[in-house]
Amino acid sequence: MKNKTFNFLLFFFLGFIIVFFLILIIELFGYLNFTTTKNLNFSRIFWSIRLTITTATISSLIATFFAIPIGYLLSRYSFPLKNFISSLLYLPIIISPIALGAMLLIFFNTPIGTFFEKYFFRVVFEVPAIVFAQFVIIIGMCINLTKSVFDYINPEYENISKTLGATSFQTFFYITLPMAKKGIISAFLLTWARAMGEFGATVTLAGATTFKTETLPVAIYLSFASAEISTGITFILITLFIGMTILIILHSLNNKLFYDKNT
Amino acid sequence: MRTPIKQILIFTFILPMILYGKPQKKELNFFCGSAVKVPMEEIIQKYQQKTGVKINVIYGGSGTLLSQIELSKKGDVYLAGSPDYIIIGENKKLLIKNTDKIVSYLVPAIIVPKNNPKNINSLQDLGKENVRIGIGNPETVCLGLYSAELLEYNNLLEKVMSNIVVFAKSCEDTAMLVVLNKVDAIIGWDVFETWNPNEVKWIKLTEPEIPRISYIPIAIPIFVKEKKLAQDFINYILSKEGQDVFKRWGYISKADEALKFAPKATIGGEYKLPKKFYDILKNK
């Protein structure tokens, strides 16, 4: 009986949030007005979708690439000022995205920023600005997620590997990383989803230029900014559909991989 | 350890009651276009002191504010950056017809960084090689729409569009582009200089270059709770006291003053983006 109550409570909390989210989505349909949305330009929507998925994928891949060694370092090693450094990584979470976007704009006015733009490629107001803004927004979150993945792997496995003669590199690539794989993929997925919805820093650093830097969140903003609610809602539903579909597919693939490995 | 129940109670219940519990007599929800944020803050403060009415002001882009009014079904006073949004609001049945009044006139200008690095002195100069231009997004920002109109009117749309590197999402964002030295010039309103006098300066357009003088209208949404109160606030903004504040910030309050900049220009009206605009964007 007590178990039943416990399970009921668990599902109650889940149900509460799910019902709330479903209401949020369902109510949108009430504002859809096909007489105004039929003017939607489909080639433009596809253009935005492609831009959003491409930039979010690139930025979250780069973020994961950085987050794996940094997360591992923070999980396993202690060094001076570690607390300060770990807290600094929360910078993008503490500061609002628009403020961060402004900081990035200013950064590209500094000698390092201007040097980079002169000798490598232009960032500000160009497509790389979207990737850059998304990367800065998600990197802290990605590092913290990967750090907790490594925290849950017992260092004893690594010690045994090393006592058997494996180098640190071999231990990391053949022991730790395979064990962390599922967690790292989950971290990647979460950061990818966050990157896909990124708006504030992107719009500040990359602008809201039609057919250039108009990602889905920017398109949603622009629709509301021109009082076209129905078009904005169509964009929200498209973003939701794409995001959910990709996340569901990848989650089930990830679970399958993990399940196969353990049977 | 003893739980500090007393302190917890004070912090969770009593303190917020003291801070926020004072019953406000009257209040107005004011959706205000950010093109007038600077003088409006001062006017609101004065009006609140004078009447005791609390003004809950929400600043934003004209279209965003209309969306907020439509979705929240709230709003007592609405101020837009251009008359286009009054027409949209009336068509969407969000604003009470014929309640709109003109608050101030806006004259278009080229705004450059104080040192004017690319030596831009005219509208034609915006088409020079290696010049980076920023404008408001013409589909959503009234200033952006106006910029497109200005360029098309002067047969510069194709030429200058190739130099436009960014569309900003709002009026203030457009101003910030040049304040932060991110572009060599923007098309803005003359008042941008009074917002940031140390960072930017404005280049006057010649009379025949200006097709239309824009203005800032104010109107009453259909969701207004106390129409008389809303009207009283609008009257205050339009009174000499309110207009003096606008004047001090460089805004023009009389039509004939605005027309000095372009005697043949029309006042108000609508402009629709030409198909050519999208073709240029796609082929860029």
Side-chain angles (χ1 to χ4, degrees):
Chain A
M1 186 62 198
K2 271 185 180 166
N3 283 342
K4 269 190 177 170
T5 320
F6 182 73
N7 289 345
F8 171 78
L9 273 176
L10 294 183
F11 278 101
F12 172 79
F13 282 108
L14 174 69
F16 188 82
I17 298 295
I18 293 295
V19 167
F20 177 62
F21 279 9
L22 284 177
I23 292 172
L24 283 186
I25 297 168
I26 291 164
E27 68 185 10
L28 289 179
F29 288 93
Y31 281 91
L32 268 187
N33 180 344
F34 290 105
T35 49
T36 51
T37 40
K38 73 178 175 201
N39 299 329
L40 275 179
N41 181 338
F42 283 100
S43 68
R44 191 163 160 186
I45 295 176
F46 283 124
W47 193 92
S48 279
I49 293 172
R50 209 180 55 197
L51 178 71
T52 314
I53 293 182
T54 316
T55 49
T57 309
I58 296 173
S59 63
S60 36
L61 277 175
I62 303 174
T64 314
F65 180 74
F66 273 90
I68 292 172
I70 299 174
Y72 185 71
L73 174 77
L74 291 175
S75 170
R76 292 290 187 268
Y77 295 77
S78 60
F79 47 86
L81 295 175
K82 190 180 166 188
N83 269 343
F84 171 76
I85 290 168
S86 313
S87 309
L88 193 64
L89 290 172
Y90 280 97
L91 178 92
I93 299 165
I94 300 167
I95 292 173
S96 79
I98 290 189
L100 208 60
M103 287 161 77
L104 292 177
L105 261 187
I106 296 167
F107 166 77
F108 281 101
N109 270 354
T110 61
I112 308 172
T114 38
F115 175 86
F116 184 89
E117 285 209 305
K118 197 171 173 193
Y119 293 101
F120 293 93
F121 50 87
R122 271 201 178 278
V123 177
V124 177
F125 306 143
E126 306 292 331
V127 176
I130 306 173
V131 176
F132 199 78
Q134 289 172 342
F135 171 79
V136 177
I137 289 289
I138 59 178
I139 183 68
M141 177 182 156
C142 195
I143 291 172
N144 279 297
L145 287 169
T146 40
K147 178 187 173 291
S148 11
V149 173
F150 291 122
D151 282 346
Y152 279 98
I153 293 172
N154 194 338
E156 221 26 57
Y157 293 110
E158 292 161 10
N159 293 339
I160 292 167
S161 157
K162 282 177 193 165
T163 49
L164 292 172
T167 65
S168 293
F169 273 104
Q170 285 169 327
T171 307
F172 182 74
F173 283 109
Y174 293 107
I175 306 294
T176 321
L177 210 51
M179 288 173 86
K181 192 175 76 184
K182 186 181 188 285
I184 288 171
I185 294 175
S186 296
F188 169 78
L189 291 181
L190 260 178
T191 43
W192 180 83
R194 176 67 189 86
M196 207 174 125
E198 208 315 288
F199 168 71
T202 308
V203 84
T204 316
L205 191 66
T209 314
T210 318
F211 283 117
K212 190 172 170 191
T213 55
E214 193 180 16
T215 58
L216 282 173
V218 172
I220 292 171
Y221 172 84
L222 290 180
S223 304
F224 284 110
S226 45
E228 286 175 19
I229 290 179
S230 192
T231 316
I233 286 173
T234 314
F235 273 117
I236 295 178
L237 291 172
I238 289 171
T239 313
L240 199 66
F241 176 76
I242 296 171
M244 289 288 287
T245 313
I246 296 182
L247 284 180
I248 290 169
I249 293 172
L250 291 177
H251 263 307
S252 53
L253 271 179
N254 194 17
N255 284 340
K256 203 169 160 249
L257 279 174
F258 185 70
Y259 181 76
D260 289 347
K261 200 135 190 138
N262 286 278
T263 45
Chain B
M1 208 181 88
R2 227 166 54 114
T3 326
I5 295 174
K6 222 169 154 186
Q7 281 90 327
I8 292 174
L9 273 178
I10 288 175
F11 274 102
T12 48
F13 296 107
I14 300 168
L15 203 63
M17 273 167 76
I18 296 168
L19 288 174
Y20 303 103
K22 273 189 198 164
Q24 283 290 340
K25 275 185 221 154
K26 284 176 175 173
E27 54 180 29
L28 283 173
N29 289 320
F30 178 28
F31 289 80
C32 181
S34 38
V36 294
K37 188 173 178 222
V38 182
M40 199 49 85
E41 276 173 346
E42 197 178 323
I43 291 177
I44 289 171
Q45 203 191 10
K46 282 187 169 171
Y47 183 75
Q48 288 187 144
Q49 270 172 1
K50 201 173 166 185
T51 60
V53 177
K54 189 170 186 293
I55 308 287
N56 303 317
V57 60
I58 297 133
Y59 293 109
S62 310
T64 311
L65 295 174
L66 263 191
S67 296
Q68 283 174 319
I69 291 174
E70 185 175 354
L71 292 173
S72 68
K73 300 202 184 336
K74 278 195 179 80
D76 300 303
V77 181
Y78 169 65
L79 181 147
S82 84
D84 307 70
Y85 282 93
I86 297 294
I87 298 169
I88 297 173
E90 283 184 351
N91 288 343
K92 287 181 151 233
K93 298 193 173 61
L94 294 172
L95 300 174
I96 302 177
K97 277 205 166 169
N98 304 322
T99 52
D100 57 308
K101 295 272 181 323
I102 297 176
V103 173
S104 170
Y105 295 88
L106 293 168
V107 178
I110 300 165
I111 312 284
V112 293
K114 201 88 191 174
N115 58 350
N116 196 0
K118 294 285 163 74
N119 196 23
I120 290 162
N121 296 306
S122 69
L123 204 58
Q124 268 71 26
D125 286 350
L126 298 183
K128 283 198 303 197
E129 257 178 49
N130 292 325
V131 172
R132 285 163 62 82
I133 311 286
I135 61 170
N137 189 315
E139 287 180 298
T140 55
V141 185
C142 28
L143 171 60
L145 184 68
Y146 191 91
S147 309
E149 179 182 357
L150 193 67
L151 294 175
E152 196 198 0
Y153 183 80
N154 291 289
N155 292 321
L156 286 167
L157 196 62
E158 284 93 342
K159 208 171 169 196
V160 176
M161 282 284 278
S162 59
N163 282 344
I164 292 178
V165 290
V166 63
F167 288 168
K169 76 175 192 330
S170 69
C171 216
E172 313 110 282
D173 279 17
T174 317
M176 283 315 281
L177 290 174
V178 72
V179 173
L180 288 175
N181 252 316
K182 285 294 155 196
V183 291
D184 303 317
I186 58 166
I187 297 176
W189 304 122
D190 57 346
V191 287
F192 282 4
E193 191 185 354
T194 56
W195 293 2
N196 302 290
N198 299 323
E199 290 90 1
V200 309
K201 64 174 181 182
W202 68 300
I203 310 288
K204 237 172 143 177
L205 295 171
T206 61
E207 286 174 14
E209 282 171 338
I210 302 176
R212 184 164 72 109
I213 299 275
S214 188
Y215 63 81
I216 295 171
I218 195 163
I220 300 179
I222 55 158
F223 306 107
V224 62
K225 281 199 200 101
E226 281 188 66
K227 198 175 168 191
K228 218 176 143 199
L229 193 65
Q231 192 59 56
D232 183 65
F233 177 56
I234 293 176
N235 290 344
Y236 180 77
I237 294 173
L238 300 175
S239 72
K240 191 177 174 300
E241 216 176 328
Q243 290 298 307
D244 279 349
V245 178
F246 271 101
K247 213 170 181 177
R248 203 157 7 92
W249 284 102
Y251 290 77
I252 300 165
S253 56
K254 290 196 174 69
D256 49 351
E257 263 179 71
L259 283 171
K260 275 184 200 160
F261 291 90
K264 286 182 186 147
T266 55
I267 290 186
E270 253 188 309
Y271 169 75
K272 290 237 176 323
L273 280 173
K275 196 184 158 284
K276 192 165 64 172
F277 168 79
Y278 294 98
D279 294 339
I280 300 171
L281 272 183
K282 269 188 205 166
N283 300 326
K284 241 176 114 173

Short mmCIF file of all heavy atoms in Angstrom, two decimals, chain B residues 241-278:
data_model
loop_
_atom_site.label_atom_id
_atom_site.label_comp_id
_atom_site.label_asym_id
_atom_site.label_seq_id
_atom_site.Cartn_x
_atom_site.Cartn_y
_atom_site.Cartn_z
N GLU B 241 3.84 70.90 -20.48
CA GLU B 241 4.80 70.31 -19.55
C GLU B 241 5.45 69.05 -20.15
O GLU B 241 6.66 68.88 -20.11
CB GLU B 241 4.05 69.95 -18.26
CG GLU B 241 4.88 70.17 -17.02
CD GLU B 241 4.07 69.90 -15.76
OE1 GLU B 241 2.83 70.14 -15.76
OE2 GLU B 241 4.68 69.44 -14.78
N GLY B 242 4.61 68.20 -20.72
CA GLY B 242 5.12 66.98 -21.35
C GLY B 242 5.95 67.29 -22.58
O GLY B 242 7.05 66.75 -22.78
N GLN B 243 5.43 68.18 -23.40
CA GLN B 243 6.12 68.49 -24.65
C GLN B 243 7.47 69.18 -24.42
O GLN B 243 8.40 69.01 -25.20
CB GLN B 243 5.22 69.37 -25.53
CG GLN B 243 4.02 68.62 -26.09
CD GLN B 243 4.41 67.47 -27.02
OE1 GLN B 243 5.16 67.66 -27.96
NE2 GLN B 243 3.92 66.29 -26.73
N ASP B 244 7.56 69.92 -23.30
CA ASP B 244 8.85 70.55 -22.97
C ASP B 244 9.93 69.51 -22.75
O ASP B 244 11.09 69.71 -23.12
CB ASP B 244 8.70 71.42 -21.72
CG ASP B 244 8.09 72.78 -22.07
OD1 ASP B 244 8.00 73.07 -23.27
OD2 ASP B 244 7.70 73.52 -21.14
N VAL B 245 9.53 68.40 -22.11
CA VAL B 245 10.51 67.33 -21.87
C VAL B 245 10.96 66.77 -23.22
O VAL B 245 12.16 66.58 -23.46
CB VAL B 245 9.90 66.21 -21.00
CG1 VAL B 245 10.90 65.08 -20.79
CG2 VAL B 245 9.43 66.75 -19.66
N PHE B 246 10.02 66.52 -24.11
CA PHE B 246 10.37 66.01 -25.43
C PHE B 246 11.31 66.96 -26.15
O PHE B 246 12.29 66.55 -26.76
CB PHE B 246 9.10 65.81 -26.28
CG PHE B 246 8.49 64.45 -26.10
CD1 PHE B 246 7.39 64.24 -25.28
CD2 PHE B 246 9.04 63.36 -26.76
CE1 PHE B 246 6.84 62.99 -25.11
CE2 PHE B 246 8.50 62.10 -26.61
CZ PHE B 246 7.40 61.91 -25.79
N LYS B 247 11.01 68.22 -26.05
CA LYS B 247 11.80 69.24 -26.72
C LYS B 247 13.24 69.22 -26.21
O LYS B 247 14.19 69.29 -26.98
CB LYS B 247 11.17 70.60 -26.46
CG LYS B 247 11.32 71.57 -27.61
CD LYS B 247 10.47 72.79 -27.36
CE LYS B 247 10.59 73.73 -28.53
NZ LYS B 247 9.74 74.88 -28.36
N ARG B 248 13.34 69.10 -24.88
CA ARG B 248 14.67 69.10 -24.28
C ARG B 248 15.52 67.93 -24.80
O ARG B 248 16.73 68.01 -24.91
CB ARG B 248 14.54 69.02 -22.75
CG ARG B 248 15.73 69.57 -22.06
CD ARG B 248 15.50 70.04 -20.62
NE ARG B 248 14.23 69.79 -20.02
CZ ARG B 248 13.95 68.71 -19.28
NH1 ARG B 248 14.85 67.78 -19.11
NH2 ARG B 248 12.77 68.58 -18.72
N TRP B 249 14.86 66.83 -25.14
CA TRP B 249 15.59 65.67 -25.66
C TRP B 249 15.70 65.69 -27.19
O TRP B 249 16.06 64.69 -27.80
CB TRP B 249 14.93 64.38 -25.20
CG TRP B 249 15.24 64.08 -23.76
CD1 TRP B 249 14.42 64.27 -22.70
CD2 TRP B 249 16.46 63.57 -23.24
NE1 TRP B 249 15.05 63.92 -21.53
CE2 TRP B 249 16.31 63.48 -21.84
CE3 TRP B 249 17.69 63.18 -23.80
CZ2 TRP B 249 17.32 63.01 -21.00
CZ3 TRP B 249 18.70 62.71 -22.96
CH2 TRP B 249 18.50 62.64 -21.58
N GLY B 250 15.37 66.82 -27.79
CA GLY B 250 15.59 66.97 -29.22
C GLY B 250 14.43 66.51 -30.10
O GLY B 250 14.56 66.46 -31.32
N TYR B 251 13.29 66.17 -29.51
CA TYR B 251 12.15 65.73 -30.32
C TYR B 251 11.40 66.97 -30.84
O TYR B 251 11.39 68.01 -30.20
CB TYR B 251 11.20 64.86 -29.49
CG TYR B 251 11.76 63.50 -29.15
CD1 TYR B 251 12.71 63.35 -28.14
CD2 TYR B 251 11.34 62.36 -29.82
CE1 TYR B 251 13.23 62.11 -27.82
CE2 TYR B 251 11.85 61.12 -29.50
CZ TYR B 251 12.80 61.00 -28.50
OH TYR B 251 13.30 59.77 -28.18
N ILE B 252 10.76 66.78 -31.97
CA ILE B 252 10.04 67.91 -32.58
C ILE B 252 8.55 67.73 -32.32
O ILE B 252 7.99 66.67 -32.61
CB ILE B 252 10.29 67.95 -34.10
CG1 ILE B 252 11.79 68.11 -34.35
CG2 ILE B 252 9.50 69.05 -34.77
CD1 ILE B 252 12.20 67.79 -35.75
N SER B 253 7.91 68.77 -31.75
CA SER B 253 6.51 68.57 -31.38
C SER B 253 5.51 69.21 -32.34
O SER B 253 4.33 68.94 -32.27
CB SER B 253 6.28 69.08 -29.96
OG SER B 253 6.67 70.43 -29.91
N LYS B 254 6.01 70.04 -33.25
CA LYS B 254 5.05 70.71 -34.16
C LYS B 254 5.34 70.34 -35.61
O LYS B 254 6.50 70.26 -36.03
CB LYS B 254 5.15 72.23 -33.97
CG LYS B 254 4.59 72.67 -32.63
CD LYS B 254 4.32 74.17 -32.64
CE LYS B 254 3.61 74.59 -31.37
NZ LYS B 254 4.47 74.48 -30.18
N ALA B 255 4.24 70.17 -36.37
CA ALA B 255 4.38 69.74 -37.76
C ALA B 255 5.20 70.73 -38.58
O ALA B 255 6.07 70.33 -39.36
CB ALA B 255 3.01 69.53 -38.37
N ASP B 256 4.93 72.03 -38.38
CA ASP B 256 5.65 73.01 -39.21
C ASP B 256 7.16 73.01 -38.92
O ASP B 256 7.97 73.25 -39.82
CB ASP B 256 5.04 74.41 -39.07
CG ASP B 256 4.85 74.81 -37.61
OD1 ASP B 256 5.03 73.93 -36.75
OD2 ASP B 256 4.52 75.98 -37.34
N GLU B 257 7.50 72.71 -37.67
CA GLU B 257 8.94 72.61 -37.34
C GLU B 257 9.57 71.45 -38.08
O GLU B 257 10.68 71.54 -38.60
CB GLU B 257 9.10 72.36 -35.83
CG GLU B 257 9.36 73.60 -35.01
CD GLU B 257 9.48 73.24 -33.55
OE1 GLU B 257 10.47 72.62 -33.17
OE2 GLU B 257 8.52 73.55 -32.80
N ALA B 258 8.85 70.30 -38.09
CA ALA B 258 9.37 69.11 -38.77
C ALA B 258 9.48 69.36 -40.27
O ALA B 258 10.43 68.93 -40.92
CB ALA B 258 8.46 67.92 -38.50
N LEU B 259 8.50 70.07 -40.80
CA LEU B 259 8.48 70.30 -42.25
C LEU B 259 9.59 71.25 -42.72
O LEU B 259 9.87 71.33 -43.91
CB LEU B 259 7.11 70.83 -42.68
CG LEU B 259 6.02 69.74 -42.76
CD1 LEU B 259 4.66 70.36 -42.98
CD2 LEU B 259 6.32 68.72 -43.85
N LYS B 260 10.23 71.94 -41.76
CA LYS B 260 11.36 72.77 -42.14
C LYS B 260 12.47 71.92 -42.76
O LYS B 260 13.23 72.38 -43.60
CB LYS B 260 11.91 73.48 -40.90
CG LYS B 260 11.19 74.77 -40.57
CD LYS B 260 11.87 75.43 -39.38
CE LYS B 260 10.93 76.43 -38.73
NZ LYS B 260 11.33 76.72 -37.36
N PHE B 261 12.55 70.67 -42.30
CA PHE B 261 13.59 69.78 -42.81
C PHE B 261 13.27 69.28 -44.22
O PHE B 261 14.14 68.88 -44.96
CB PHE B 261 13.77 68.57 -41.88
CG PHE B 261 14.36 68.92 -40.56
CD1 PHE B 261 13.54 69.26 -39.49
CD2 PHE B 261 15.73 68.96 -40.39
CE1 PHE B 261 14.09 69.60 -38.26
CE2 PHE B 261 16.29 69.30 -39.17
CZ PHE B 261 15.46 69.63 -38.11
N ALA B 262 11.98 69.23 -44.54
CA ALA B 262 11.57 68.72 -45.85
C ALA B 262 10.18 69.28 -46.18
O ALA B 262 9.17 68.62 -45.94
CB ALA B 262 11.54 67.20 -45.82
N PRO B 263 10.15 70.48 -46.73
CA PRO B 263 8.85 71.15 -46.93
C PRO B 263 7.89 70.37 -47.82
O PRO B 263 6.68 70.53 -47.70
CB PRO B 263 9.24 72.47 -47.59
CG PRO B 263 10.69 72.63 -47.35
CD PRO B 263 11.27 71.29 -47.19
N LYS B 264 8.43 69.53 -48.73
CA LYS B 264 7.54 68.85 -49.66
C LYS B 264 7.15 67.45 -49.20
O LYS B 264 6.40 66.74 -49.88
CB LYS B 264 8.18 68.79 -51.04
CG LYS B 264 8.13 70.16 -51.70
CD LYS B 264 8.71 70.15 -53.09
CE LYS B 264 8.77 71.58 -53.60
NZ LYS B 264 9.90 71.81 -54.47
N ALA B 265 7.68 67.04 -48.07
CA ALA B 265 7.41 65.68 -47.61
C ALA B 265 5.97 65.56 -47.11
O ALA B 265 5.37 66.54 -46.68
CB ALA B 265 8.37 65.33 -46.49
N THR B 266 5.45 64.30 -47.17
CA THR B 266 4.13 64.07 -46.59
C THR B 266 4.31 63.70 -45.13
O THR B 266 5.40 63.31 -44.71
CB THR B 266 3.41 62.92 -47.30
OG1 THR B 266 4.26 61.77 -47.24
CG2 THR B 266 3.11 63.25 -48.74
N ILE B 267 3.24 63.79 -44.37
CA ILE B 267 3.33 63.42 -42.95
C ILE B 267 2.50 62.17 -42.73
O ILE B 267 1.34 62.11 -43.14
CB ILE B 267 2.86 64.57 -42.04
CG1 ILE B 267 3.90 65.70 -42.13
CG2 ILE B 267 2.66 64.11 -40.61
CD1 ILE B 267 3.68 66.85 -41.19
N GLY B 268 3.11 61.18 -42.09
CA GLY B 268 2.39 59.93 -41.80
C GLY B 268 2.20 59.08 -43.05
O GLY B 268 2.94 59.22 -44.02
N GLY B 269 1.20 58.22 -43.02
CA GLY B 269 0.93 57.36 -44.17
C GLY B 269 1.62 56.01 -44.06
O GLY B 269 2.32 55.74 -43.08
N GLU B 270 1.39 55.19 -45.08
CA GLU B 270 1.90 53.83 -45.03
C GLU B 270 2.90 53.57 -46.15
O GLU B 270 2.83 54.20 -47.20
CB GLU B 270 0.73 52.85 -45.22
CG GLU B 270 0.32 52.11 -43.97
CD GLU B 270 -0.70 51.03 -44.31
OE1 GLU B 270 -1.71 51.33 -44.97
OE2 GLU B 270 -0.47 49.91 -43.91
N TYR B 271 3.79 52.61 -45.97
CA TYR B 271 4.70 52.21 -47.04
C TYR B 271 4.80 50.69 -47.00
O TYR B 271 4.92 50.10 -45.93
CB TYR B 271 6.08 52.84 -46.82
CG TYR B 271 7.17 52.29 -47.70
CD1 TYR B 271 7.24 52.62 -49.05
CD2 TYR B 271 8.13 51.41 -47.19
CE1 TYR B 271 8.24 52.10 -49.86
CE2 TYR B 271 9.13 50.89 -47.99
CZ TYR B 271 9.20 51.24 -49.33
OH TYR B 271 10.19 50.72 -50.13
N LYS B 272 4.73 50.05 -48.15
CA LYS B 272 4.87 48.58 -48.20
C LYS B 272 6.18 48.22 -48.87
O LYS B 272 6.56 48.83 -49.88
CB LYS B 272 3.69 47.98 -48.97
CG LYS B 272 2.36 48.08 -48.24
CD LYS B 272 1.74 46.69 -48.06
CE LYS B 272 0.47 46.64 -47.26
NZ LYS B 272 0.31 47.52 -46.13
N LEU B 273 6.87 47.22 -48.31
CA LEU B 273 8.15 46.80 -48.88
C LEU B 273 7.94 46.26 -50.29
O LEU B 273 7.05 45.44 -50.52
CB LEU B 273 8.76 45.69 -48.03
CG LEU B 273 9.48 46.13 -46.76
CD1 LEU B 273 9.88 44.91 -45.96
CD2 LEU B 273 10.72 46.94 -47.10
N PRO B 274 8.73 46.71 -51.26
CA PRO B 274 8.56 46.20 -52.62
C PRO B 274 9.13 44.79 -52.77
O PRO B 274 9.99 44.37 -51.98
CB PRO B 274 9.37 47.19 -53.45
CG PRO B 274 10.42 47.69 -52.52
CD PRO B 274 9.83 47.66 -51.15
N LYS B 275 8.68 44.06 -53.77
CA LYS B 275 9.15 42.69 -54.03
C LYS B 275 10.66 42.69 -54.27
O LYS B 275 11.39 41.79 -53.88
CB LYS B 275 8.41 42.12 -55.24
CG LYS B 275 8.52 40.61 -55.34
CD LYS B 275 7.86 40.08 -56.60
CE LYS B 275 8.43 38.73 -56.97
NZ LYS B 275 9.76 38.80 -57.57
N LYS B 276 11.08 43.80 -54.92
CA LYS B 276 12.50 43.98 -55.24
C LYS B 276 13.39 43.80 -54.01
O LYS B 276 14.48 43.24 -54.07
CB LYS B 276 12.65 45.41 -55.78
CG LYS B 276 13.94 45.75 -56.42
CD LYS B 276 13.84 47.03 -57.24
CE LYS B 276 13.54 48.25 -56.39
NZ LYS B 276 13.63 49.53 -57.11
N PHE B 277 12.88 44.27 -52.86
CA PHE B 277 13.63 44.19 -51.61
C PHE B 277 14.02 42.74 -51.28
O PHE B 277 15.16 42.42 -50.96
CB PHE B 277 12.79 44.81 -50.49
CG PHE B 277 13.30 44.55 -49.10
CD1 PHE B 277 14.35 45.29 -48.58
CD2 PHE B 277 12.73 43.57 -48.30
CE1 PHE B 277 14.82 45.05 -47.29
CE2 PHE B 277 13.19 43.33 -47.02
CZ PHE B 277 14.24 44.07 -46.52
N TYR B 278 13.01 41.83 -51.42
CA TYR B 278 13.26 40.42 -51.11
C TYR B 278 14.18 39.79 -52.15
O TYR B 278 15.02 38.97 -51.82
CB TYR B 278 11.94 39.66 -51.02
CG TYR B 278 11.09 40.10 -49.86
CD1 TYR B 278 10.06 41.02 -50.03
CD2 TYR B 278 11.36 39.63 -48.58
CE1 TYR B 278 9.30 41.44 -48.96
CE2 TYR B 278 10.60 40.05 -47.50
CZ TYR B 278 9.57 40.96 -47.69
OH TYR B 278 8.84 41.37 -46.62
#
